[in-house]
Protein backbone atom coordinates (compact mmCIF):
# COMPACT_ATOMS: atom_id res chain seq x y z
CA UNK A 1 0.00 0.00 0.00
CA UNK A 2 2.84 2.37 0.90
CA UNK A 3 4.62 1.71 -2.42
CA UNK A 4 1.40 2.37 -4.36
CA UNK A 5 0.83 5.50 -2.29
CA UNK A 6 4.34 6.79 -3.00
CA UNK A 7 4.01 6.04 -6.72
CA UNK A 8 0.68 7.90 -6.84
CA UNK A 9 2.23 10.88 -5.07
CA UNK A 10 5.10 10.93 -7.55
CA UNK A 11 2.66 10.56 -10.45
CA UNK A 12 0.83 13.68 -9.29
CA UNK A 13 3.94 15.80 -9.02
CA UNK A 14 5.24 15.04 -5.52
CA UNK A 15 4.24 18.21 -3.78
CA UNK A 16 2.00 21.28 -3.97
CA UNK A 17 2.71 23.67 -6.88
CA UNK A 18 2.13 27.40 -6.30
CA UNK A 19 0.93 29.94 -8.83
CA UNK A 20 3.68 31.31 -11.08
CA UNK A 21 3.58 35.05 -10.30
CA UNK A 22 4.77 37.40 -13.07
CA UNK A 23 7.53 39.90 -12.40
CA UNK A 24 5.49 42.87 -13.57
CA UNK A 25 1.87 43.37 -12.44
CA UNK A 26 -0.65 41.97 -13.04
CA UNK A 27 -0.15 38.20 -12.89
CA UNK A 28 -2.69 37.09 -15.50
CA UNK A 29 -4.54 33.79 -15.02
CA UNK A 30 -6.51 32.57 -18.03
CA UNK A 31 -9.21 30.01 -17.13
CA UNK A 32 -10.16 27.36 -19.68
CA UNK A 33 -12.35 24.26 -19.76
CA UNK A 34 -15.55 22.69 -21.01
CA UNK A 35 -18.99 24.01 -20.16
CA UNK A 36 -20.29 23.41 -16.67
CA UNK A 37 -17.00 22.20 -15.13
CA UNK A 38 -16.93 25.10 -12.69
CA UNK A 39 -14.71 27.73 -14.38
CA UNK A 40 -16.78 30.77 -13.36
CA UNK A 41 -17.14 29.48 -9.81
CA UNK A 42 -13.40 28.78 -9.71
CA UNK A 43 -12.72 32.40 -10.75
CA UNK A 44 -14.62 33.66 -7.70
CA UNK A 45 -12.88 31.16 -5.44
CA UNK A 46 -9.43 32.09 -6.76
CA UNK A 47 -10.19 35.80 -6.35
CA UNK A 48 -11.15 35.22 -2.71
CA UNK A 49 -8.10 32.99 -2.14
CA UNK A 50 -5.68 35.64 -3.41
CA UNK A 51 -7.57 38.46 -1.69
CA UNK A 52 -7.10 36.63 1.63
CA UNK A 53 -3.37 36.61 0.80
CA UNK A 54 -3.47 40.41 0.54
CA UNK A 55 -3.38 40.55 -3.25
CA UNK A 56 -5.41 43.14 -5.19
CA UNK A 57 -7.54 41.16 -7.66
CA UNK A 58 -9.80 41.80 -10.62
CA UNK A 59 -11.81 39.42 -12.81
CA UNK A 60 -12.70 39.75 -16.50
CA UNK A 61 -15.94 38.36 -17.97
CA UNK A 62 -15.37 37.25 -21.57
CA UNK A 63 -18.06 34.56 -21.88
CA UNK A 64 -20.31 36.44 -24.29
CA UNK A 65 -22.18 33.32 -25.41
CA UNK A 66 -23.96 31.95 -22.34
CA UNK A 67 -26.56 34.64 -21.46
CA UNK A 68 -26.19 34.54 -17.67
CA UNK A 69 -22.40 34.00 -17.62
CA UNK A 70 -21.42 37.67 -17.29
CA UNK A 71 -24.07 38.32 -14.62
CA UNK A 72 -22.93 35.17 -12.78
CA UNK A 73 -19.34 36.43 -12.60
CA UNK A 74 -20.47 39.93 -11.58
CA UNK A 75 -22.57 38.39 -8.82
CA UNK A 76 -19.64 36.28 -7.60
CA UNK A 77 -17.45 39.38 -7.72
CA UNK A 78 -19.90 41.21 -5.44
CA UNK A 79 -19.97 38.17 -3.13
CA UNK A 80 -16.15 38.13 -2.70
CA UNK A 81 -15.89 41.93 -3.09
CA UNK A 82 -13.56 41.76 -6.10
CA UNK A 83 -14.25 44.03 -9.12
CA UNK A 84 -15.31 42.41 -12.39
CA UNK A 85 -14.45 44.05 -15.73
CA UNK A 86 -17.13 43.39 -18.35
CA UNK A 87 -17.98 45.03 -21.66
CA UNK A 88 -21.28 43.35 -22.47
CA UNK A 89 -21.64 40.60 -25.03
CA UNK A 90 -21.39 42.59 -28.26
CA UNK A 91 -17.58 42.80 -28.25
CA UNK A 92 -15.29 39.90 -29.17
CA UNK A 93 -13.77 38.06 -26.16
CA UNK A 94 -10.16 38.89 -27.06
CA UNK A 95 -11.06 42.60 -27.29
CA UNK A 96 -12.72 42.42 -23.85
CA UNK A 97 -9.57 40.72 -22.56
CA UNK A 98 -7.39 43.51 -23.99
CA UNK A 99 -9.55 46.21 -22.42
CA UNK A 100 -9.64 44.31 -19.12
CA UNK A 101 -5.86 44.00 -19.05
CA UNK A 102 -5.46 47.73 -19.72
CA UNK A 103 -7.90 48.50 -16.88
CA UNK A 104 -6.03 46.14 -14.54
CA UNK A 105 -2.73 47.90 -15.28
CA UNK A 106 -4.37 51.29 -14.70
CA UNK A 107 -5.60 50.12 -11.28
CA UNK A 108 -2.25 48.38 -10.59
CA UNK A 109 -3.99 45.13 -9.83
CA UNK A 110 -1.81 42.21 -8.64
CA UNK A 111 -3.85 39.30 -10.00
CA UNK A 112 -6.11 39.34 -13.08
CA UNK A 113 -8.38 36.32 -13.48
CA UNK A 114 -9.96 35.93 -16.93
CA UNK A 115 -13.09 33.76 -17.19
CA UNK A 116 -13.80 32.30 -20.62
CA UNK A 117 -16.69 30.57 -22.35
CA UNK A 118 -16.94 26.82 -22.10
CA UNK A 119 -18.26 24.56 -24.86
CA UNK A 120 -19.92 21.20 -24.66
CA UNK A 121 -16.87 19.63 -26.24
CA UNK A 122 -13.49 20.71 -27.50
CA UNK A 123 -14.05 22.53 -30.79
CA UNK A 124 -11.88 24.51 -33.19
CA UNK A 125 -13.74 27.78 -32.66
CA UNK A 126 -13.21 27.56 -28.91
CA UNK A 127 -9.54 26.78 -29.30
CA UNK A 128 -8.92 29.59 -31.80
CA UNK A 129 -10.63 32.05 -29.48
CA UNK A 130 -8.51 30.92 -26.53
CA UNK A 131 -5.33 31.14 -28.64
CA UNK A 132 -6.25 34.70 -29.60
CA UNK A 133 -6.88 35.64 -25.96
CA UNK A 134 -3.59 34.07 -24.92
CA UNK A 135 -1.78 36.22 -27.48
CA UNK A 136 -3.46 39.37 -26.16
CA UNK A 137 -2.98 38.55 -22.46
CA UNK A 138 0.36 36.72 -22.42
CA UNK A 139 -0.83 35.05 -19.18
CA UNK A 140 1.51 33.65 -16.49
CA UNK A 141 -0.97 30.83 -15.93
CA UNK A 142 -3.40 29.02 -18.23
CA UNK A 143 -5.40 26.86 -15.83
CA UNK A 144 -7.53 24.05 -17.21
CA UNK A 145 -10.59 23.54 -15.03
CA UNK A 146 -11.46 19.83 -14.89
CA UNK A 147 -14.51 18.31 -13.21
CA UNK A 148 -13.28 15.56 -10.85
CA UNK A 149 -16.29 13.50 -11.90
CA UNK A 150 -14.76 13.30 -15.40
CA UNK A 151 -13.83 9.73 -16.03
CA UNK A 152 -11.33 8.38 -18.52
CA UNK A 153 -12.11 11.08 -21.06
CA UNK A 154 -10.16 13.47 -18.82
CA UNK A 155 -6.93 12.31 -20.48
CA UNK A 156 -8.15 13.15 -24.00
CA UNK A 157 -9.52 16.48 -22.82
CA UNK A 158 -6.31 17.51 -21.07
CA UNK A 159 -4.12 16.57 -24.02
CA UNK A 160 -6.39 18.46 -26.46
CA UNK A 161 -6.17 21.66 -24.44
CA UNK A 162 -2.48 21.24 -23.77
CA UNK A 163 -1.58 20.56 -27.40
CA UNK A 164 -3.74 23.39 -28.74
CA UNK A 165 -3.12 26.23 -26.28
CA UNK A 166 -0.60 24.89 -23.77
CA UNK A 167 -1.76 24.79 -20.16
CA UNK A 168 0.42 25.62 -17.13
CA UNK A 169 -1.68 23.76 -14.59
CA UNK A 170 -5.16 22.61 -13.65
CA UNK A 171 -7.90 23.08 -11.10
CA UNK A 172 -9.83 19.94 -10.15
CA UNK A 173 -13.40 20.88 -9.17
CA UNK A 174 -16.32 19.11 -7.49
CA UNK A 175 -14.10 16.90 -5.31
CA UNK A 176 -16.84 17.12 -2.68
CA UNK A 177 -18.76 14.67 -4.86
CA UNK A 178 -18.37 10.91 -4.76
CA UNK A 179 -15.35 10.81 -7.04
CA UNK A 180 -12.04 9.73 -5.59
CA UNK A 181 -10.35 12.23 -7.90
CA UNK A 182 -8.72 9.74 -10.25
CA UNK A 183 -8.85 12.39 -12.99
CA UNK A 184 -5.96 13.98 -11.08
CA UNK A 185 -3.72 11.22 -12.40
CA UNK A 186 -4.67 11.94 -16.01
CA UNK A 187 -3.97 15.65 -15.74
CA UNK A 188 -0.39 15.17 -14.62
CA UNK A 189 0.36 12.08 -16.69
CA UNK A 190 -0.94 13.53 -19.93
CA UNK A 191 0.08 17.16 -19.69
CA UNK A 192 3.05 16.91 -17.34
CA UNK A 193 1.52 19.92 -15.65
CA UNK A 194 0.57 20.12 -11.94
CA UNK A 195 -2.85 20.46 -10.42
CA UNK A 196 -2.68 23.72 -8.48
CA UNK A 197 -6.01 23.81 -6.68
CA UNK A 198 -8.99 21.63 -5.83
CA UNK A 199 -12.60 22.78 -5.53
CA UNK A 200 -14.66 21.09 -2.85
CA UNK A 201 -18.06 22.73 -2.93
CA UNK A 202 -20.13 25.54 -4.38
CA UNK A 203 -19.16 28.08 -1.71
CA UNK A 204 -16.40 30.60 -2.44
CA UNK A 205 -14.34 29.27 0.51
CA UNK A 206 -14.32 25.73 -0.92
CA UNK A 207 -10.95 25.97 -2.69
CA UNK A 208 -7.67 24.51 -1.41
CA UNK A 209 -4.16 24.12 -2.76
CA UNK A 210 -3.63 20.63 -4.19
CA UNK A 211 -1.49 18.28 -2.08
CA UNK A 212 -0.52 15.12 -4.04
CA UNK A 213 0.10 13.11 -0.86
CA UNK A 214 -3.35 13.89 0.49
CA UNK A 215 -4.98 13.07 -2.84
CA UNK A 216 -3.11 9.75 -2.95
CA UNK A 217 -4.50 8.90 0.48
CA UNK A 218 -7.98 9.79 -0.73
CA UNK A 219 -7.69 7.74 -3.93
CA UNK A 220 -6.54 4.75 -1.89
CA UNK A 221 -9.35 5.28 0.61
CA UNK A 222 -6.80 5.88 3.39
CA UNK A 223 -8.38 9.12 4.47
CA UNK A 224 -6.34 12.16 5.24
CA UNK A 225 -5.66 12.60 8.93
CA UNK A 226 -3.53 15.71 8.37
CA UNK A 227 -6.33 17.59 6.60
CA UNK A 228 -8.75 16.43 9.33
CA UNK A 229 -6.47 17.84 12.05
CA UNK A 230 -6.09 21.11 10.13
CA UNK A 231 -9.85 21.44 9.75
CA UNK A 232 -10.40 20.61 13.43
CA UNK A 233 -7.88 23.27 14.39
CA UNK A 234 -9.76 25.79 12.26
CA UNK A 235 -13.00 25.23 14.15
CA UNK A 236 -11.87 24.53 17.70
CA UNK A 237 -9.48 26.44 19.93
CA UNK A 238 -6.78 24.35 21.57
CA UNK A 239 -7.84 25.40 25.09
CA UNK A 240 -11.44 24.40 24.35
CA UNK A 241 -10.18 21.00 23.25
CA UNK A 242 -8.10 20.66 26.44
CA UNK A 243 -11.04 21.66 28.63
CA UNK A 244 -13.19 19.09 26.85
CA UNK A 245 -10.52 16.43 27.26
CA UNK A 246 -10.49 17.13 31.01
CA UNK A 247 -14.27 16.70 31.21
CA UNK A 248 -13.99 13.42 29.33
CA UNK A 249 -11.28 12.20 31.71
CA UNK A 250 -13.56 12.95 34.64
CA UNK A 251 -16.54 11.35 32.83
CA UNK A 252 -18.36 14.72 33.04
CA UNK A 253 -19.02 15.05 29.27
CA UNK A 254 -22.57 16.49 29.14
CA UNK A 255 -25.16 17.57 26.57
CA UNK A 256 -23.66 21.08 26.30
CA UNK A 257 -20.34 19.52 25.28
CA UNK A 258 -22.14 17.30 22.81
CA UNK A 259 -23.84 20.31 21.18
CA UNK A 260 -20.49 22.14 21.02
CA UNK A 261 -18.96 19.12 19.25
CA UNK A 262 -21.74 18.72 16.69
CA UNK A 263 -21.57 22.44 15.86
CA UNK A 264 -17.77 22.30 15.52
CA UNK A 265 -18.14 19.28 13.26
CA UNK A 266 -20.69 21.15 11.11
CA UNK A 267 -18.19 24.03 10.71
CA UNK A 268 -15.59 21.60 9.38
CA UNK A 269 -17.58 21.19 6.16
CA UNK A 270 -20.04 18.71 4.66
CA UNK A 271 -20.18 15.49 6.70
CA UNK A 272 -19.26 13.31 3.71
CA UNK A 273 -16.13 15.38 3.18
CA UNK A 274 -15.16 15.22 6.89
CA UNK A 275 -15.83 11.48 7.13
CA UNK A 276 -13.80 10.84 3.94
CA UNK A 277 -10.75 12.28 5.72
CA UNK A 278 -10.84 9.64 8.47
CA UNK A 279 -8.90 6.43 7.76
CA UNK A 280 -11.18 3.44 7.43
CA UNK A 281 -14.32 5.58 7.38
CA UNK A 282 -14.21 6.18 3.61
CA UNK A 283 -16.32 3.05 3.22
CA UNK A 284 -19.35 4.71 4.82
CA UNK A 285 -22.00 5.01 2.12
CA UNK A 286 -23.64 8.35 1.33
CA UNK A 287 -26.86 6.82 2.70
CA UNK A 288 -25.20 6.00 6.04
CA UNK A 289 -23.74 9.51 6.21
CA UNK A 290 -27.14 11.05 5.53
CA UNK A 291 -28.60 8.79 8.25
CA UNK A 292 -25.93 9.98 10.69
CA UNK A 293 -26.69 13.62 9.84
CA UNK A 294 -30.40 12.97 10.41
CA UNK A 295 -29.67 11.35 13.79
CA UNK A 296 -27.58 14.35 14.83
CA UNK A 297 -30.46 16.69 13.97
CA UNK A 298 -32.88 14.59 16.02
CA UNK A 299 -30.53 14.57 18.99
CA UNK A 300 -29.96 18.33 18.71
CA UNK A 301 -33.73 18.94 18.70
CA UNK A 302 -34.09 16.93 21.92
CA UNK A 303 -31.15 18.68 23.61
CA UNK A 304 -32.58 22.07 22.63
CA UNK A 305 -35.79 21.29 24.53
CA UNK A 306 -33.90 20.48 27.76
CA UNK A 307 -33.46 23.02 30.53
CA UNK A 308 -29.89 24.34 31.00
CA UNK A 309 -29.71 22.38 34.26
CA UNK A 310 -30.66 19.13 32.51
CA UNK A 311 -28.05 19.72 29.80
CA UNK A 312 -25.26 20.07 32.34
CA UNK A 313 -26.66 17.38 34.68
CA UNK A 314 -27.89 14.49 32.48
CA UNK A 315 -28.47 12.51 35.71
CA UNK A 316 -31.64 14.60 36.23
CA UNK A 317 -33.08 13.08 33.07
CA UNK A 318 -31.87 9.59 33.88
CA UNK A 319 -33.68 9.70 37.22
CA UNK A 320 -36.96 11.33 36.09
CA UNK A 321 -39.38 9.82 33.52
CA UNK A 322 -41.49 13.03 33.72
CA UNK A 323 -38.52 15.17 32.64
CA UNK A 324 -37.90 12.76 29.76
CA UNK A 325 -41.58 12.95 28.82
CA UNK A 326 -41.43 16.76 28.81
CA UNK A 327 -38.33 16.74 26.58
CA UNK A 328 -40.04 14.28 24.23
CA UNK A 329 -43.12 16.48 23.97
CA UNK A 330 -41.02 19.62 23.55
CA UNK A 331 -39.01 18.14 20.68
CA UNK A 332 -41.77 16.17 19.02
CA UNK A 333 -39.85 12.92 19.64
CA UNK A 334 -40.89 9.76 21.44
CA UNK A 335 -40.05 9.16 25.09
CA UNK A 336 -38.01 6.08 24.16
CA UNK A 337 -35.91 8.19 21.78
CA UNK A 338 -35.15 10.52 24.71
CA UNK A 339 -34.39 7.58 27.02
CA UNK A 340 -32.14 6.00 24.38
CA UNK A 341 -30.28 9.27 23.91
CA UNK A 342 -29.72 9.70 27.67
CA UNK A 343 -28.46 6.14 28.07
CA UNK A 344 -26.18 6.57 25.03
CA UNK A 345 -24.61 9.62 26.69
CA UNK A 346 -23.70 7.53 29.74
CA UNK A 347 -22.39 4.73 27.51
CA UNK A 348 -20.34 7.32 25.62
CA UNK A 349 -18.95 8.70 28.87
CA UNK A 350 -17.76 5.24 29.89
CA UNK A 351 -16.31 4.48 26.45
CA UNK A 352 -14.51 7.84 26.14
CA UNK A 353 -13.15 7.54 29.70
CA UNK A 354 -11.79 4.14 28.78
CA UNK A 355 -10.26 5.55 25.58
CA UNK A 356 -8.67 8.38 27.57
CA UNK A 357 -7.20 6.00 30.10
CA UNK A 358 -5.55 4.11 27.24
CA UNK A 359 -4.25 7.45 25.93
CA UNK A 360 -3.03 8.33 29.43
CA UNK A 361 -0.57 5.49 28.96
CA UNK A 362 0.70 7.35 25.88
CA UNK A 363 -1.85 7.36 23.13
CA UNK A 364 -4.49 5.56 21.13
CA UNK A 365 -3.06 2.37 19.63
CA UNK A 366 -1.75 3.20 16.17
CA UNK A 367 -1.92 6.98 16.64
CA UNK A 368 0.81 7.16 19.27
CA UNK A 369 2.42 10.60 19.65
CA UNK A 370 0.40 11.99 16.72
CA UNK A 371 0.23 15.37 18.43
CA UNK A 372 3.97 15.67 19.05
CA UNK A 373 4.80 14.47 15.56
CA UNK A 374 2.26 16.88 14.12
CA UNK A 375 3.77 19.82 16.02
CA UNK A 376 7.29 18.79 14.91
CA UNK A 377 6.12 18.63 11.30
CA UNK A 378 4.68 22.11 11.46
CA UNK A 379 7.99 23.53 12.75
CA UNK A 380 9.83 22.47 9.58
CA UNK A 381 9.57 25.23 6.92
CA UNK A 382 7.14 24.31 4.12
CA UNK A 383 8.52 23.57 0.67
CA UNK A 384 11.81 22.11 2.02
CA UNK A 385 12.90 18.53 1.32
CA UNK A 386 12.95 17.92 5.11
CA UNK A 387 9.32 19.02 5.41
CA UNK A 388 8.40 16.66 2.61
CA UNK A 389 10.23 13.79 4.33
CA UNK A 390 8.58 14.56 7.69
CA UNK A 391 5.14 14.73 6.06
CA UNK A 392 5.69 11.42 4.29
CA UNK A 393 6.72 9.82 7.61
CA UNK A 394 3.60 11.27 9.27
CA UNK A 395 1.52 10.08 6.38
CA UNK A 396 2.89 6.56 6.36
CA UNK A 397 2.51 6.27 10.11
CA UNK A 398 -0.98 7.73 10.61
CA UNK A 399 -2.92 7.29 7.44
CA UNK A 400 -2.31 3.63 6.66
CA UNK A 401 -5.33 1.35 6.84
CA UNK A 402 -3.97 -0.51 9.90
CA UNK A 403 -3.98 2.82 11.76
CA UNK A 404 -7.65 3.05 11.03
CA UNK A 405 -9.67 2.01 14.06
CA UNK A 406 -13.32 1.55 13.21
CA UNK A 407 -15.07 4.28 15.17
CA UNK A 408 -17.35 2.98 17.96
CA UNK A 409 -21.05 3.25 17.14
CA UNK A 410 -21.68 6.94 17.33
CA UNK A 411 -24.16 8.91 19.47
CA UNK A 412 -27.64 8.81 18.09
CA UNK A 413 -26.63 6.03 15.73
CA UNK A 414 -29.22 3.32 15.07
N1 LIG B 1 -20.50 20.55 -5.69
C1 LIG B 1 -19.75 21.41 -6.38
N2 LIG B 1 -20.34 22.17 -7.35
C2 LIG B 1 -19.54 23.03 -8.03
C3 LIG B 1 -18.16 23.18 -7.75
N3 LIG B 1 -17.65 24.12 -8.62
C4 LIG B 1 -18.70 24.54 -9.38
N4 LIG B 1 -19.83 23.89 -9.03
C5 LIG B 1 -21.17 24.03 -9.60
O1 LIG B 1 -21.13 23.58 -10.95
C6 LIG B 1 -22.06 24.34 -11.73
C7 LIG B 1 -21.33 24.95 -12.92
O2 LIG B 1 -20.40 25.89 -12.40
P1 LIG B 1 -19.92 27.11 -13.35
O3 LIG B 1 -18.87 27.83 -12.60
O4 LIG B 1 -21.09 27.90 -13.83
O5 LIG B 1 -19.30 26.29 -14.56
P2 LIG B 1 -18.66 26.92 -15.86
O6 LIG B 1 -17.52 26.04 -16.23
O7 LIG B 1 -18.38 28.35 -15.66
O8 LIG B 1 -19.84 26.72 -16.87
P3 LIG B 1 -20.01 27.59 -18.16
O9 LIG B 1 -19.97 29.01 -17.70
O10 LIG B 1 -21.32 27.18 -18.69
O11 LIG B 1 -18.85 27.26 -19.06
C8 LIG B 1 -22.62 25.42 -10.82
O12 LIG B 1 -23.87 24.98 -10.32
C9 LIG B 1 -21.61 25.47 -9.68
O13 LIG B 1 -22.20 25.88 -8.45
C10 LIG B 1 -17.59 22.34 -6.71
O14 LIG B 1 -16.39 22.36 -6.40
N5 LIG B 1 -18.43 21.48 -6.07
Amino acid sequence: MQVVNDELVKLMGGEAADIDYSKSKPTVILMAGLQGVGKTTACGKLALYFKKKGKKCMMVATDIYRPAAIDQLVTLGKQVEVPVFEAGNQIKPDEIARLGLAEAKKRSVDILIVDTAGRLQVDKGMMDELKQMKKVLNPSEVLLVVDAMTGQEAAALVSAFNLEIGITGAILTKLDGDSRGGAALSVREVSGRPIKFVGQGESMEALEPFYPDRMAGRILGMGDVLSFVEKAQEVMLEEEAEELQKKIMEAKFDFNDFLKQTRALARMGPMNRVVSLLPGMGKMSQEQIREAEKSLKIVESMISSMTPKERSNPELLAQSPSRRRRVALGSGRSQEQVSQMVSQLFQMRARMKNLMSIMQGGSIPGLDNLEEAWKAARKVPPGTAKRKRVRMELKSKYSSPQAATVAPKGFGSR
Side-chain angles (χ1 to χ4, degrees):
M1 190 61 106
Q2 192 54 50
V3 168
V4 173
N5 183 70
D6 295 351
E7 282 311 305
L8 279 176
V9 173
K10 242 187 273 158
L11 240 172
M12 290 186 283
E15 51 194 11
D18 200 356
I19 281 287
D20 181 14
Y21 295 98
S22 70
K23 292 188 188 30
S24 60
K25 285 183 187 178
T27 293
V28 181
I29 300 175
L30 178 61
M31 305 287 275
L34 297 184
Q35 192 163 43
V37 294
K39 280 187 304 314
T40 309
T41 309
C43 289
K45 291 177 178 177
L46 274 179
L48 180 61
Y49 174 83
F50 287 118
K51 195 176 146 210
K52 281 181 180 169
K53 284 177 167 290
K55 304 267 184 203
K56 190 176 175 192
C57 301
M58 190 168 105
M59 296 188 272
V60 184
T62 71
D63 181 352
I64 60 172
Y65 306 103
R66 184 163 67 86
I70 294 177
D71 298 344
Q72 183 190 0
L73 192 68
V74 169
T75 307
L76 290 182
K78 286 196 185 93
Q79 199 180 325
V80 295
E81 293 173 343
V82 167
V84 174
F85 179 88
E86 54 98 3
N89 55 12
Q90 301 307 314
I91 304 183
K92 277 167 61 49
D94 57 321
E95 180 55 15
I96 300 175
R98 196 181 60 74
L99 295 171
L101 179 58
E103 182 65 19
K105 284 179 177 163
K106 209 162 81 184
R107 297 189 195 188
S108 101
V109 154
D110 297 314
I111 308 267
L112 185 67
I113 301 162
V114 183
D115 187 22
T116 63
R119 300 289 193 285
L120 282 177
Q121 76 283 327
V122 176
D123 65 36
K124 192 161 169 355
M126 165 180 174
M127 287 306 180
D128 291 347
E129 192 173 273
L130 281 173
K131 279 181 203 163
Q132 194 44 37
M133 290 176 82
K134 194 176 170 187
K135 239 188 251 140
V136 164
L137 294 166
N138 184 26
S140 311
E141 291 280 2
V142 179
L143 296 184
L144 179 61
V145 182
V146 180
D147 181 338
M149 310 294 273
T150 317
Q152 291 316 311
E153 62 273 23
L157 176 71
V158 171
S159 72
F161 270 93
N162 195 35
L163 287 175
E164 288 284 339
I165 53 172
I167 63 175
T168 57
I171 296 181
L172 202 57
T173 64
K174 308 187 187 180
L175 259 182
D176 48 306
D178 290 344
S179 87
R180 285 273 182 89
L185 300 177
S186 308
V187 171
R188 180 79 197 191
E189 182 58 15
V190 164
S191 69
R193 300 289 184 200
I195 292 173
K196 302 221 169 180
F197 294 95
V198 290
Q200 284 150 344
E202 299 197 86
S203 77
M204 289 298 106
E205 288 73 19
L207 181 88
E208 279 180 9
F210 176 73
Y211 293 104
D213 55 344
R214 300 185 188 185
M215 177 56 77
R218 176 193 171 101
I219 290 175
L220 292 171
M222 291 188 343
D224 179 349
V225 173
L226 307 185
S227 297
F228 183 86
V229 170
E230 277 173 359
K231 281 187 177 301
Q233 284 175 325
E234 279 166 21
V235 299
M236 189 162 208
L237 298 172
E238 193 127 359
E239 44 279 3
E240 272 179 358
E242 277 154 15
E243 194 247 320
L244 178 71
Q245 186 172 348
K246 196 163 149 296
K247 290 188 86 173
I248 292 170
M249 297 282 280
E250 297 154 3
K252 292 210 174 88
F253 182 82
D254 60 31
F255 285 116
N256 288 317
D257 302 313
F258 183 83
L259 268 188
K260 230 185 257 177
Q261 288 299 297
T262 49
R263 285 174 186 155
L265 191 68
R267 288 200 304 275
M268 285 176 72
M271 176 83 92
N272 61 341
R273 169 100 185 98
V274 175
V275 164
S276 72
L277 297 176
L278 293 174
M281 297 290 277
K283 298 177 191 61
M284 265 182 94
S285 69
Q286 294 302 318
E287 182 49 38
Q288 285 171 311
I289 291 174
R290 274 192 289 278
E291 270 304 300
E293 285 179 318
K294 228 161 71 187
S295 305
L296 283 183
K297 292 244 172 318
I298 290 172
V299 168
E300 282 196 20
S301 68
M302 292 190 276
I303 296 176
S304 312
S305 60
M306 291 174 191
T307 63
K309 253 178 83 189
E310 287 163 347
R311 283 192 208 130
S312 42
N313 298 292
E315 294 74 8
L316 293 175
L317 286 161
Q319 292 144 13
S320 155
S322 62
R323 284 180 184 271
R324 293 199 299 270
R325 204 168 19 259
R326 196 204 74 248
V327 169
L329 284 176
S331 58
R333 302 291 161 197
S334 66
Q335 196 171 336
E336 51 276 2
Q337 276 178 305
V338 176
S339 308
Q340 185 194 26
M341 175 187 69
V342 174
S343 68
Q344 278 179 338
L345 182 88
F346 287 99
Q347 285 165 26
M348 234 169 112
R349 274 182 168 181
R351 204 183 289 144
M352 288 163 92
K353 190 164 186 323
N354 173 35
L355 192 59
M356 283 297 167
S357 57
I358 297 171
M359 282 180 77
Q360 250 189 336
S363 68
I364 302 175
L367 292 186
D368 50 314
N369 304 325
L370 169 62
E371 191 177 350
E372 289 68 30
W374 169 254
K375 282 190 176 138
R378 289 177 76 81
K379 282 202 192 91
V380 176
T384 56
K386 185 161 184 278
R387 173 70 176 255
K388 189 174 152 221
R389 195 175 56 255
V390 168
R391 286 183 57 78
M392 292 314 289
E393 281 155 19
L394 259 179
K395 181 93 200 159
S396 58
K397 200 165 180 197
Y398 299 116
S399 296
S400 57
Q402 53 272 26
T405 50
V406 179
K409 278 182 81 56
F411 196 59
S413 62
R414 290 268 168 258

